Amino acid sequence: MSIVLALSAMLLLGSTHFINGLLAHFYPPLNIGFYTHLGGALVSLAVALLFSTWEPDTWKWGTLAGLGSALGALLLYKGLSQAPFAIVVPVSAVSMVTIALGLSLVFLGERPNAWVWLGVMIALPAIWLTTGGGRINKGQVSSIIRTGLLFGLGAGLGFSLQLHFLGQVPDHAALYGIALCMLNGAVCLLPFYQRTKPAQIRLPLFSTMAGGISALGLTLYALSRQGQLTIISIVIVSMYPLIPVVFGSLVRKEAVSGTSMVGIALSIVATMLIVAGNG
């Protein structure tokens, strides 16, 4: 059941990125990040009031997770505006799961078995390849060194801290932790909000809805940690780039490159190994 919850969380979080990816063509990315966090805060708070129990330490962990989430969103969007997509996204995705795994090993003392480790080792290149594999041309090298690599690493650090701090919230208060995370993320992104044209007034609604989907995904991630190692949930959720790639090919008729196809295949293999190791 925990694996199913983690896979469902991956689907929802990946859907959020797909929706926001479509909106980014028409609306400032940092505005999208703000409304996504705001929508996530509203949805998760409403659900928390019905189904969750407050825990005093939730303030601390939820607020720290929000700082990580805002940092990740800010650096990711800044990186995408200044550096090649093929570098920023793969670096951020792989660094996120790598740092999060390191935090779980050091601070949570988790020790996965050989099958899970094999799945992890396959998942890392799978994520990289699925998001494009970092294809660049010679003229972009200096730009990548100065911007793409640093912004990608910084974004991965922010998102990994978000997952790690949310993991410290007690299970019965997880929804409140997510609400605080998303609310603090919105507050941190508010100074970067940009005024837009009146014609774009409806677009924030879609970002807010995407934030609600993201909140549900984070909730399922929190629930998936019950009964299995946090490392397993992190790796499965981190394969969310599969969703924008697959949905993009179906909805926008985008061709899936051979590199991404290999990444998708490796992701499936990695998931099967992790499931086997968890069984």
Side-chain angles (χ1 to χ4, degrees):
M1 186 62 181
S2 296
I3 292 289
V4 175
L5 290 174
L7 289 170
S8 300
M10 180 195 71
L11 176 63
L12 291 173
L13 293 172
S15 298
T16 298
H17 283 267
F18 173 70
I19 295 171
N20 285 342
L22 294 178
L23 295 176
H25 292 283
F26 312 100
Y27 201 63
L30 288 176
N31 288 20
I32 293 174
F34 168 75
Y35 283 112
T36 298
H37 280 81
L38 183 62
L42 294 174
V43 170
S44 52
L45 179 59
V47 178
L49 290 171
L50 294 174
F51 301 108
S52 198
T53 305
W54 176 252
E55 174 75 27
D57 281 348
T58 305
W59 281 109
K60 174 176 64 177
W61 300 121
T63 301
L64 289 173
L67 290 174
S69 182
L71 177 66
L74 177 61
L75 294 181
L76 178 65
Y77 291 136
K78 285 288 188 180
L80 290 176
S81 68
Q82 300 179 39
F85 178 95
I87 287 297
V88 179
V89 174
V91 169
S92 66
V94 174
S95 62
M96 177 186 73
V97 65
T98 303
I99 295 170
L101 286 171
L103 292 173
S104 296
L105 290 171
V106 174
F107 293 102
L108 301 182
E110 296 187 341
R111 295 295 180 266
N113 60 35
W115 286 106
V116 173
W117 269 123
L118 181 58
V120 170
M121 293 301 102
I122 294 176
L124 292 177
I127 295 169
W128 177 274
L129 294 171
T130 300
T131 52
R135 296 185 302 274
I136 60 175
N137 59 52
K138 293 181 179 179
Q140 294 174 323
V141 173
S142 60
S143 173
I144 293 165
I145 294 175
R146 292 194 304 267
T147 56
L149 183 59
L150 293 177
F151 277 120
L153 288 172
L157 173 62
F159 291 133
S160 64
L161 290 174
Q162 177 195 25
L163 292 180
H164 178 72
F165 288 132
L166 283 178
Q168 310 309 305
V169 179
D171 294 335
H172 61 270
L175 292 169
Y176 280 112
I178 293 168
L180 284 169
C181 167
M182 302 300 274
L183 179 61
N184 191 43
V187 171
C188 292
L189 290 173
L190 183 58
F192 302 95
Y193 189 88
Q194 303 174 33
R195 293 187 177 182
T196 57
K197 301 177 182 178
Q200 298 176 319
I201 194 170
R202 295 182 179 179
L203 297 182
L205 176 62
F206 293 103
S207 290
T208 304
M209 293 172 58
I213 296 173
S214 178
L216 293 176
L218 290 172
T219 300
L220 293 181
Y221 159 73
L223 294 175
S224 73
R225 295 182 297 107
Q226 302 177 26
Q228 70 180 11
L229 298 177
T230 300
I231 285 178
I232 294 175
S233 295
I234 288 174
V235 173
I236 292 177
V237 169
S238 297
M239 289 190 282
Y240 70 85
L242 280 169
I243 307 305
V245 171
V246 173
F247 280 13
S249 66
L250 295 175
V251 177
R252 302 180 64 182
K253 307 298 181 182
E254 296 176 349
V256 180
S257 67
T259 300
S260 294
M261 289 292 289
V262 173
I264 292 171
L266 288 176
S267 296
I268 295 173
V269 172
T271 302
M272 293 174 63
L273 290 170
I274 291 171
V275 171
N278 194 48

